[in-house]
Amino acid sequence: MKLHPIWQEYPSLVPELEMTIQLMEKSVKLKNKAVEQAILEMIHSGGKLLRPAYQLLFFQFGPNQDQQKAASLAAAIEMLHTATLIHDDVVDKAELRRNLPTINAKFDNTTAVYAGDYLLISCFKLLADYTQTLNSLRINSRNIEKILDGELGQMNSRYRIDGSIDEYLSNISGKTAELFALSCAIGAMESGCSEKFSKKCGEIGLNIGMAFQIIDDLLDYTKSSSQIGKPVLEDVRQGVYSLPLLYALQENKAKLAPYLLKKDQMTMEDAQMVWTIVHQSKGIEKANALAESYTNKALRAIDKLPSTPKQTKELLYQLTSSLLQRQN
Amino acid sequence: MKLHPIWQEYPSLVPELEMTIQLMEKSVKLKNKAVEQAILEMIHSGGKLLRPAYQLLFFQFGPNQDQQKAASLAAAIEMLHTATLIHDDVVDKAELRRNLPTINAKFDNTTAVYAGDYLLISCFKLLADYTQTLNSLRINSRNIEKILDGELGQMNSRYRIDGSIDEYLSNISGKTAELFALSCAIGAMESGCSEKFSKKCGEIGLNIGMAFQIIDDLLDYTKSSSQIGKPVLEDVRQGVYSLPLLYALQENKAKLAPYLLKKDQMTMEDAQMVWTIVHQSKGIEKANALAESYTNKALRAIDKLPSTPKQTKELLYQLTSSLLQRQN
């Protein structure tokens, strides 16, 4: 099993991330060996493990340092994330994820739906096994419910050419940022930090997650790839309008609408046109500026964190700034 | 909201079952109002609420009588059950459930997948909120994981004309009986009964669930309906071979195999033939006998339960014997 290359620059995190993967493996025990294998392949497919990494880093701030517990909770977080990816792939009829066939493609929807369900439940099993108190487990369950609510909320906004920036932000908050927030807050809380401090860590995670998702959406418009237009086409066909397009719609709705209104009948040429109009309408610059503002909020707050023997604050700063400068 | 008519004979249970429904309603709070509505309709569609009812009845055996807690845990159990039904409908592409359009039919797969996920997570939220101790929550999580494992296990056996009776029993145990077992065991445990007594209650639930599922599978072959053959056709086409057919295969494999091997190409006439051969091969009698043996095991154990002021034992006996004599 190989960790994603981003971790080469953070050798102190490697053992704990490897332990996280091992705990996920150990937790997946199914009668149906084919499905077990599919889940294990997904676990080994080289995801970035960002959420567990943040969880592990924030765990270093508290007085109770128990590596088994830290890695188990990190595994729970990653299993939740993996479950939502598997179900997203069913819903999006995706065939590839991380360059491997998705579970729905390799097996079928049945397997993928139940495999995701199994991981969701395993996540709770791990949380229940390692969370300190019933009370913090209650808070975690509530937050996970909020994350699912966010996923469902997003569906409201499809195909809305008058969708607002606020709605987009609330959607990506639910879809991405809340899980980053939860990872950071659980890390702090479960290592014995105060509720107030843990909440602050959660806010840092939220800002990281917001910037991360905006940058992810920006990459569809800025990657210098021969595939320009393809990710745009896929999202826009499905009625998912991300920040650069929403900013462009504010300026150039009349020009964009005829393409967008084709919905799933859009061609690659239409997508190229959308791509071009978004670039002309300053959609990229504005989205970049917003991502930067979230990034700076996160980095300023990280800078104010206390020092630890493991130089956690410095690692957090380095990881966050390199992660959120992916566009370069 | 109307409860299923079976509860007219159990007026003492009605207020708690109504409270259970109300708690489910209160727990479903979504930004996406359309999905919220779909889940609420499913909750109001008149399911039998058997699992919550057993949970509520076994809750009466312990010293700690807290109606709010009893109904909340019952709501959690029913939400878990509802989540699996919603996902089963996605997987089976079912269009109707309880004579109403399924969520996947009325909305789409996306909505149904996420709605099921939301309910799974809400189930854990309710469990975490009302379970007495972290330890019993851990046991519950482990058991719920086992139930999902059972669902996935079932897929191994599809289209296997040499599938064994043991495999069938292990499948229905995972698919149905484990959740009945969990309902009974949680009821006893969370009202403060001993672990030993709660385990015994779980075994009663397991036997009830086994008999319940066998009878459900038998009904496909014994209902005097103009629809004879249709449920058989649907299951057999999908490669799900239930107990009467498995018994018949033991006697008449050569005669049945040509029809079964058509898999999803089976016609209604083929299904009628399968139906006839199963009847000729004593598949019905043998399955009936096995259901009766599970029923009797459950009833004998219920008979040995202690008395309560609410006549719980008598109610359990009455409910279980009428439930498990549905074939008459």
PDB file of all heavy atoms in Angstrom, chain A residues 277-308:
ATOM      1  N   ILE A 277     -16.627  31.983 -22.109  1.00  0.00           N
ATOM      2  CA  ILE A 277     -17.373  33.119 -21.547  1.00  0.00           C
ATOM      3  C   ILE A 277     -17.023  33.321 -20.068  1.00  0.00           C
ATOM      4  O   ILE A 277     -16.871  34.455 -19.607  1.00  0.00           O
ATOM      5  CB  ILE A 277     -18.904  32.932 -21.722  1.00  0.00           C
ATOM      6  CG1 ILE A 277     -19.243  32.763 -23.214  1.00  0.00           C
ATOM      7  CG2 ILE A 277     -19.675  34.113 -21.143  1.00  0.00           C
ATOM      8  CD1 ILE A 277     -20.678  32.296 -23.469  1.00  0.00           C
ATOM      9  N   VAL A 278     -16.884  32.201 -19.345  1.00  0.00           N
ATOM     10  CA  VAL A 278     -16.515  32.313 -17.925  1.00  0.00           C
ATOM     11  C   VAL A 278     -15.175  33.027 -17.791  1.00  0.00           C
ATOM     12  O   VAL A 278     -15.001  33.904 -16.941  1.00  0.00           O
ATOM     13  CB  VAL A 278     -16.487  30.927 -17.246  1.00  0.00           C
ATOM     14  CG1 VAL A 278     -15.823  30.997 -15.882  1.00  0.00           C
ATOM     15  CG2 VAL A 278     -17.904  30.368 -17.123  1.00  0.00           C
ATOM     16  N   HIS A 279     -14.216  32.674 -18.658  1.00  0.00           N
ATOM     17  CA  HIS A 279     -12.905  33.331 -18.598  1.00  0.00           C
ATOM     18  C   HIS A 279     -13.004  34.811 -18.933  1.00  0.00           C
ATOM     19  O   HIS A 279     -12.383  35.642 -18.284  1.00  0.00           O
ATOM     20  CB  HIS A 279     -11.916  32.618 -19.538  1.00  0.00           C
ATOM     21  CG  HIS A 279     -11.261  31.431 -18.893  1.00  0.00           C
ATOM     22  ND1 HIS A 279      -9.999  31.467 -18.384  1.00  0.00           N
ATOM     23  CD2 HIS A 279     -11.728  30.194 -18.648  1.00  0.00           C
ATOM     24  CE1 HIS A 279      -9.698  30.292 -17.850  1.00  0.00           C
ATOM     25  NE2 HIS A 279     -10.736  29.483 -18.011  1.00  0.00           N
ATOM     26  N   GLN A 280     -13.815  35.116 -19.931  1.00  0.00           N
ATOM     27  CA  GLN A 280     -13.958  36.533 -20.337  1.00  0.00           C
ATOM     28  C   GLN A 280     -14.661  37.364 -19.266  1.00  0.00           C
ATOM     29  O   GLN A 280     -14.469  38.561 -19.171  1.00  0.00           O
ATOM     30  CB  GLN A 280     -14.768  36.625 -21.643  1.00  0.00           C
ATOM     31  CG  GLN A 280     -14.009  36.112 -22.851  1.00  0.00           C
ATOM     32  CD  GLN A 280     -14.933  35.897 -24.055  1.00  0.00           C
ATOM     33  OE1 GLN A 280     -16.161  35.897 -23.909  1.00  0.00           O
ATOM     34  NE2 GLN A 280     -14.327  35.693 -25.223  1.00  0.00           N
ATOM     35  N   SER A 281     -15.495  36.704 -18.459  1.00  0.00           N
ATOM     36  CA  SER A 281     -16.345  37.462 -17.524  1.00  0.00           C
ATOM     37  C   SER A 281     -15.727  37.601 -16.140  1.00  0.00           C
ATOM     38  O   SER A 281     -16.421  37.873 -15.172  1.00  0.00           O
ATOM     39  CB  SER A 281     -17.702  36.776 -17.373  1.00  0.00           C
ATOM     40  OG  SER A 281     -18.178  36.272 -18.581  1.00  0.00           O
ATOM     41  N   LYS A 282     -14.450  37.350 -15.997  1.00  0.00           N
ATOM     42  CA  LYS A 282     -13.754  37.469 -14.710  1.00  0.00           C
ATOM     43  C   LYS A 282     -14.246  36.465 -13.661  1.00  0.00           C
ATOM     44  O   LYS A 282     -14.050  36.668 -12.462  1.00  0.00           O
ATOM     45  CB  LYS A 282     -13.880  38.906 -14.143  1.00  0.00           C
ATOM     46  CG  LYS A 282     -13.299  39.956 -15.064  1.00  0.00           C
ATOM     47  CD  LYS A 282     -12.675  41.084 -14.241  1.00  0.00           C
ATOM     48  CE  LYS A 282     -11.925  42.058 -15.128  1.00  0.00           C
ATOM     49  NZ  LYS A 282     -12.618  43.359 -15.260  1.00  0.00           N
ATOM     50  N   GLY A 283     -14.922  35.387 -14.121  1.00  0.00           N
ATOM     51  CA  GLY A 283     -15.377  34.352 -13.180  1.00  0.00           C
ATOM     52  C   GLY A 283     -14.207  33.726 -12.425  1.00  0.00           C
ATOM     53  O   GLY A 283     -14.303  33.418 -11.236  1.00  0.00           O
ATOM     54  N   ILE A 284     -13.079  33.588 -13.138  1.00  0.00           N
ATOM     55  CA  ILE A 284     -11.913  32.947 -12.534  1.00  0.00           C
ATOM     56  C   ILE A 284     -11.297  33.844 -11.465  1.00  0.00           C
ATOM     57  O   ILE A 284     -11.044  33.411 -10.336  1.00  0.00           O
ATOM     58  CB  ILE A 284     -10.841  32.634 -13.615  1.00  0.00           C
ATOM     59  CG1 ILE A 284     -11.477  31.888 -14.795  1.00  0.00           C
ATOM     60  CG2 ILE A 284      -9.676  31.863 -13.020  1.00  0.00           C
ATOM     61  CD1 ILE A 284     -12.072  30.562 -14.474  1.00  0.00           C
ATOM     62  N   GLU A 285     -11.077  35.093 -11.825  1.00  0.00           N
ATOM     63  CA  GLU A 285     -10.424  35.992 -10.866  1.00  0.00           C
ATOM     64  C   GLU A 285     -11.240  36.119  -9.580  1.00  0.00           C
ATOM     65  O   GLU A 285     -10.696  36.097  -8.474  1.00  0.00           O
ATOM     66  CB  GLU A 285     -10.269  37.416 -11.445  1.00  0.00           C
ATOM     67  CG  GLU A 285      -9.188  37.564 -12.491  1.00  0.00           C
ATOM     68  CD  GLU A 285      -9.758  37.371 -13.892  1.00  0.00           C
ATOM     69  OE1 GLU A 285     -10.641  36.483 -14.051  1.00  0.00           O
ATOM     70  OE2 GLU A 285      -9.325  38.091 -14.816  1.00  0.00           O
ATOM     71  N   LYS A 286     -12.556  36.267  -9.767  1.00  0.00           N
ATOM     72  CA  LYS A 286     -13.379  36.465  -8.579  1.00  0.00           C
ATOM     73  C   LYS A 286     -13.403  35.232  -7.694  1.00  0.00           C
ATOM     74  O   LYS A 286     -13.352  35.340  -6.464  1.00  0.00           O
ATOM     75  CB  LYS A 286     -14.808  36.832  -9.002  1.00  0.00           C
ATOM     76  CG  LYS A 286     -14.938  38.248  -9.529  1.00  0.00           C
ATOM     77  CD  LYS A 286     -16.402  38.526  -9.855  1.00  0.00           C
ATOM     78  CE  LYS A 286     -16.573  39.937 -10.394  1.00  0.00           C
ATOM     79  NZ  LYS A 286     -17.962  40.133 -10.879  1.00  0.00           N
ATOM     80  N   ALA A 287     -13.501  34.059  -8.319  1.00  0.00           N
ATOM     81  CA  ALA A 287     -13.507  32.832  -7.528  1.00  0.00           C
ATOM     82  C   ALA A 287     -12.174  32.657  -6.811  1.00  0.00           C
ATOM     83  O   ALA A 287     -12.107  32.266  -5.638  1.00  0.00           O
ATOM     84  CB  ALA A 287     -13.804  31.616  -8.415  1.00  0.00           C
ATOM     85  N   ASN A 288     -11.089  32.979  -7.542  1.00  0.00           N
ATOM     86  CA  ASN A 288      -9.757  32.927  -6.933  1.00  0.00           C
ATOM     87  C   ASN A 288      -9.660  33.818  -5.705  1.00  0.00           C
ATOM     88  O   ASN A 288      -9.087  33.429  -4.684  1.00  0.00           O
ATOM     89  CB  ASN A 288      -8.718  33.374  -7.950  1.00  0.00           C
ATOM     90  CG  ASN A 288      -7.840  32.223  -8.371  1.00  0.00           C
ATOM     91  OD1 ASN A 288      -7.519  31.361  -7.544  1.00  0.00           O
ATOM     92  ND2 ASN A 288      -7.457  32.187  -9.633  1.00  0.00           N
ATOM     93  N   ALA A 289     -10.208  35.010  -5.835  1.00  0.00           N
ATOM     94  CA  ALA A 289     -10.126  35.959  -4.725  1.00  0.00           C
ATOM     95  C   ALA A 289     -10.878  35.420  -3.507  1.00  0.00           C
ATOM     96  O   ALA A 289     -10.418  35.545  -2.371  1.00  0.00           O
ATOM     97  CB  ALA A 289     -10.702  37.313  -5.156  1.00  0.00           C
ATOM     98  N   LEU A 290     -12.025  34.789  -3.757  1.00  0.00           N
ATOM     99  CA  LEU A 290     -12.791  34.263  -2.628  1.00  0.00           C
ATOM    100  C   LEU A 290     -12.053  33.095  -1.968  1.00  0.00           C
ATOM    101  O   LEU A 290     -11.990  33.000  -0.738  1.00  0.00           O
ATOM    102  CB  LEU A 290     -14.190  33.838  -3.072  1.00  0.00           C
ATOM    103  CG  LEU A 290     -15.155  33.530  -1.928  1.00  0.00           C
ATOM    104  CD1 LEU A 290     -15.318  34.713  -0.985  1.00  0.00           C
ATOM    105  CD2 LEU A 290     -16.536  33.112  -2.460  1.00  0.00           C
ATOM    106  N   ALA A 291     -11.469  32.222  -2.797  1.00  0.00           N
ATOM    107  CA  ALA A 291     -10.696  31.107  -2.234  1.00  0.00           C
ATOM    108  C   ALA A 291      -9.567  31.646  -1.375  1.00  0.00           C
ATOM    109  O   ALA A 291      -9.294  31.148  -0.271  1.00  0.00           O
ATOM    110  CB  ALA A 291     -10.143  30.222  -3.355  1.00  0.00           C
ATOM    111  N   GLU A 292      -8.919  32.685  -1.869  1.00  0.00           N
ATOM    112  CA  GLU A 292      -7.800  33.262  -1.144  1.00  0.00           C
ATOM    113  C   GLU A 292      -8.245  33.824   0.202  1.00  0.00           C
ATOM    114  O   GLU A 292      -7.536  33.712   1.208  1.00  0.00           O
ATOM    115  CB  GLU A 292      -7.181  34.376  -1.989  1.00  0.00           C
ATOM    116  CG  GLU A 292      -5.676  34.468  -1.831  1.00  0.00           C
ATOM    117  CD  GLU A 292      -5.115  35.488  -2.803  1.00  0.00           C
ATOM    118  OE1 GLU A 292      -5.119  35.200  -4.025  1.00  0.00           O
ATOM    119  OE2 GLU A 292      -4.704  36.584  -2.343  1.00  0.00           O
ATOM    120  N   SER A 293      -9.433  34.400   0.205  1.00  0.00           N
ATOM    121  CA  SER A 293      -9.891  34.983   1.460  1.00  0.00           C
ATOM    122  C   SER A 293     -10.149  33.884   2.499  1.00  0.00           C
ATOM    123  O   SER A 293      -9.799  34.015   3.670  1.00  0.00           O
ATOM    124  CB  SER A 293     -11.105  35.877   1.201  1.00  0.00           C
ATOM    125  OG  SER A 293     -12.200  35.490   1.969  1.00  0.00           O
ATOM    126  N   TYR A 294     -10.733  32.742   2.072  1.00  0.00           N
ATOM    127  CA  TYR A 294     -10.902  31.620   3.006  1.00  0.00           C
ATOM    128  C   TYR A 294      -9.547  31.064   3.450  1.00  0.00           C
ATOM    129  O   TYR A 294      -9.328  30.769   4.620  1.00  0.00           O
ATOM    130  CB  TYR A 294     -11.730  30.493   2.370  1.00  0.00           C
ATOM    131  CG  TYR A 294     -13.214  30.765   2.348  1.00  0.00           C
ATOM    132  CD1 TYR A 294     -13.884  30.987   1.142  1.00  0.00           C
ATOM    133  CD2 TYR A 294     -13.955  30.783   3.522  1.00  0.00           C
ATOM    134  CE1 TYR A 294     -15.253  31.239   1.109  1.00  0.00           C
ATOM    135  CE2 TYR A 294     -15.325  31.030   3.506  1.00  0.00           C
ATOM    136  CZ  TYR A 294     -15.966  31.257   2.295  1.00  0.00           C
ATOM    137  OH  TYR A 294     -17.308  31.492   2.278  1.00  0.00           O
ATOM    138  N   THR A 295      -8.628  30.932   2.485  1.00  0.00           N
ATOM    139  CA  THR A 295      -7.300  30.412   2.810  1.00  0.00           C
ATOM    140  C   THR A 295      -6.625  31.296   3.852  1.00  0.00           C
ATOM    141  O   THR A 295      -6.069  30.796   4.846  1.00  0.00           O
ATOM    142  CB  THR A 295      -6.417  30.366   1.539  1.00  0.00           C
ATOM    143  OG1 THR A 295      -7.086  29.579   0.562  1.00  0.00           O
ATOM    144  CG2 THR A 295      -5.058  29.753   1.833  1.00  0.00           C
ATOM    145  N   ASN A 296      -6.692  32.592   3.641  1.00  0.00           N
ATOM    146  CA  ASN A 296      -6.027  33.504   4.570  1.00  0.00           C
ATOM    147  C   ASN A 296      -6.651  33.454   5.963  1.00  0.00           C
ATOM    148  O   ASN A 296      -5.943  33.516   6.967  1.00  0.00           O
ATOM    149  CB  ASN A 296      -6.053  34.933   4.020  1.00  0.00           C
ATOM    150  CG  ASN A 296      -5.121  35.065   2.829  1.00  0.00           C
ATOM    151  OD1 ASN A 296      -4.175  34.267   2.686  1.00  0.00           O
ATOM    152  ND2 ASN A 296      -5.382  36.027   1.956  1.00  0.00           N
ATOM    153  N   LYS A 297      -7.983  33.319   5.991  1.00  0.00           N
ATOM    154  CA  LYS A 297      -8.630  33.190   7.292  1.00  0.00           C
ATOM    155  C   LYS A 297      -8.087  31.966   8.022  1.00  0.00           C
ATOM    156  O   LYS A 297      -7.778  32.022   9.211  1.00  0.00           O
ATOM    157  CB  LYS A 297     -10.149  33.041   7.103  1.00  0.00           C
ATOM    158  CG  LYS A 297     -10.947  34.255   7.537  1.00  0.00           C
ATOM    159  CD  LYS A 297     -12.435  33.952   7.529  1.00  0.00           C
ATOM    160  CE  LYS A 297     -13.115  34.735   6.418  1.00  0.00           C
ATOM    161  NZ  LYS A 297     -14.537  34.416   6.253  1.00  0.00           N
ATOM    162  N   ALA A 298      -7.993  30.854   7.289  1.00  0.00           N
ATOM    163  CA  ALA A 298      -7.504  29.621   7.910  1.00  0.00           C
ATOM    164  C   ALA A 298      -6.061  29.788   8.375  1.00  0.00           C
ATOM    165  O   ALA A 298      -5.712  29.446   9.510  1.00  0.00           O
ATOM    166  CB  ALA A 298      -7.621  28.455   6.932  1.00  0.00           C
ATOM    167  N   LEU A 299      -5.218  30.360   7.509  1.00  0.00           N
ATOM    168  CA  LEU A 299      -3.797  30.467   7.847  1.00  0.00           C
ATOM    169  C   LEU A 299      -3.570  31.421   9.029  1.00  0.00           C
ATOM    170  O   LEU A 299      -2.731  31.151   9.900  1.00  0.00           O
ATOM    171  CB  LEU A 299      -2.987  30.927   6.622  1.00  0.00           C
ATOM    172  CG  LEU A 299      -2.882  29.884   5.494  1.00  0.00           C
ATOM    173  CD1 LEU A 299      -2.162  30.491   4.284  1.00  0.00           C
ATOM    174  CD2 LEU A 299      -2.151  28.621   5.973  1.00  0.00           C
ATOM    175  N   ARG A 300      -4.339  32.500   9.067  1.00  0.00           N
ATOM    176  CA  ARG A 300      -4.194  33.423  10.202  1.00  0.00           C
ATOM    177  C   ARG A 300      -4.552  32.728  11.522  1.00  0.00           C
ATOM    178  O   ARG A 300      -3.880  32.886  12.539  1.00  0.00           O
ATOM    179  CB  ARG A 300      -5.085  34.666  10.007  1.00  0.00           C
ATOM    180  CG  ARG A 300      -4.425  35.775   9.188  1.00  0.00           C
ATOM    181  CD  ARG A 300      -5.134  37.124   9.388  1.00  0.00           C
ATOM    182  NE  ARG A 300      -6.558  37.030   9.099  1.00  0.00           N
ATOM    183  CZ  ARG A 300      -7.098  37.207   7.894  1.00  0.00           C
ATOM    184  NH1 ARG A 300      -6.326  37.491   6.854  1.00  0.00           N
ATOM    185  NH2 ARG A 300      -8.402  37.112   7.723  1.00  0.00           N
ATOM    186  N   ALA A 301      -5.631  31.924  11.458  1.00  0.00           N
ATOM    187  CA  ALA A 301      -6.040  31.232  12.684  1.00  0.00           C
ATOM    188  C   ALA A 301      -5.034  30.150  13.078  1.00  0.00           C
ATOM    189  O   ALA A 301      -4.757  29.937  14.261  1.00  0.00           O
ATOM    190  CB  ALA A 301      -7.424  30.619  12.499  1.00  0.00           C
ATOM    191  N   ILE A 302      -4.466  29.472  12.084  1.00  0.00           N
ATOM    192  CA  ILE A 302      -3.452  28.459  12.382  1.00  0.00           C
ATOM    193  C   ILE A 302      -2.248  29.122  13.053  1.00  0.00           C
ATOM    194  O   ILE A 302      -1.670  28.603  14.010  1.00  0.00           O
ATOM    195  CB  ILE A 302      -3.022  27.714  11.089  1.00  0.00           C
ATOM    196  CG1 ILE A 302      -4.152  26.786  10.622  1.00  0.00           C
ATOM    197  CG2 ILE A 302      -1.736  26.920  11.308  1.00  0.00           C
ATOM    198  CD1 ILE A 302      -3.953  26.173   9.248  1.00  0.00           C
ATOM    199  N   ASP A 303      -1.903  30.279  12.546  1.00  0.00           N
ATOM    200  CA  ASP A 303      -0.752  31.003  13.071  1.00  0.00           C
ATOM    201  C   ASP A 303      -0.914  31.333  14.555  1.00  0.00           C
ATOM    202  O   ASP A 303       0.078  31.484  15.276  1.00  0.00           O
ATOM    203  CB  ASP A 303      -0.586  32.295  12.264  1.00  0.00           C
ATOM    204  CG  ASP A 303       0.840  32.807  12.332  1.00  0.00           C
ATOM    205  OD1 ASP A 303       1.755  31.954  12.319  1.00  0.00           O
ATOM    206  OD2 ASP A 303       1.014  34.026  12.426  1.00  0.00           O
ATOM    207  N   LYS A 304      -2.157  31.439  15.000  1.00  0.00           N
ATOM    208  CA  LYS A 304      -2.382  31.787  16.402  1.00  0.00           C
ATOM    209  C   LYS A 304      -2.486  30.565  17.302  1.00  0.00           C
ATOM    210  O   LYS A 304      -2.716  30.690  18.514  1.00  0.00           O
ATOM    211  CB  LYS A 304      -3.679  32.599  16.523  1.00  0.00           C
ATOM    212  CG  LYS A 304      -3.528  34.026  16.038  1.00  0.00           C
ATOM    213  CD  LYS A 304      -4.794  34.830  16.336  1.00  0.00           C
ATOM    214  CE  LYS A 304      -4.844  36.095  15.515  1.00  0.00           C
ATOM    215  NZ  LYS A 304      -6.180  36.358  14.965  1.00  0.00           N
ATOM    216  N   LEU A 305      -2.382  29.366  16.737  1.00  0.00           N
ATOM    217  CA  LEU A 305      -2.481  28.154  17.560  1.00  0.00           C
ATOM    218  C   LEU A 305      -1.267  28.044  18.480  1.00  0.00           C
ATOM    219  O   LEU A 305      -0.205  28.589  18.173  1.00  0.00           O
ATOM    220  CB  LEU A 305      -2.562  26.915  16.658  1.00  0.00           C
ATOM    221  CG  LEU A 305      -3.885  26.729  15.887  1.00  0.00           C
ATOM    222  CD1 LEU A 305      -3.731  25.627  14.845  1.00  0.00           C
ATOM    223  CD2 LEU A 305      -5.030  26.411  16.841  1.00  0.00           C
ATOM    224  N   PRO A 306      -1.406  27.349  19.601  1.00  0.00           N
ATOM    225  CA  PRO A 306      -0.262  27.187  20.505  1.00  0.00           C
ATOM    226  C   PRO A 306       0.809  26.288  19.885  1.00  0.00           C
ATOM    227  O   PRO A 306       0.540  25.531  18.963  1.00  0.00           O
ATOM    228  CB  PRO A 306      -0.887  26.500  21.731  1.00  0.00           C
ATOM    229  CG  PRO A 306      -2.138  25.857  21.233  1.00  0.00           C
ATOM    230  CD  PRO A 306      -2.627  26.699  20.103  1.00  0.00           C
ATOM    231  N   SER A 307       1.991  26.366  20.408  1.00  0.00           N
ATOM    232  CA  SER A 307       3.085  25.513  19.927  1.00  0.00           C
ATOM    233  C   SER A 307       2.999  24.131  20.562  1.00  0.00           C
ATOM    234  O   SER A 307       2.496  23.981  21.672  1.00  0.00           O
ATOM    235  CB  SER A 307       4.438  26.130  20.291  1.00  0.00           C
ATOM    236  OG  SER A 307       4.588  27.339  19.599  1.00  0.00           O
ATOM    237  N   THR A 308       3.464  23.130  19.842  1.00  0.00           N
ATOM    238  CA  THR A 308       3.552  21.781  20.413  1.00  0.00           C
ATOM    239  C   THR A 308       4.950  21.243  20.148  1.00  0.00           C
ATOM    240  O   THR A 308       5.647  21.724  19.259  1.00  0.00           O
ATOM    241  CB  THR A 308       2.553  20.807  19.749  1.00  0.00           C
ATOM    242  OG1 THR A 308       2.969  20.595  18.389  1.00  0.00           O
ATOM    243  CG2 THR A 308       1.137  21.343  19.769  1.00  0.00           C
TER     244      THR A 308
END
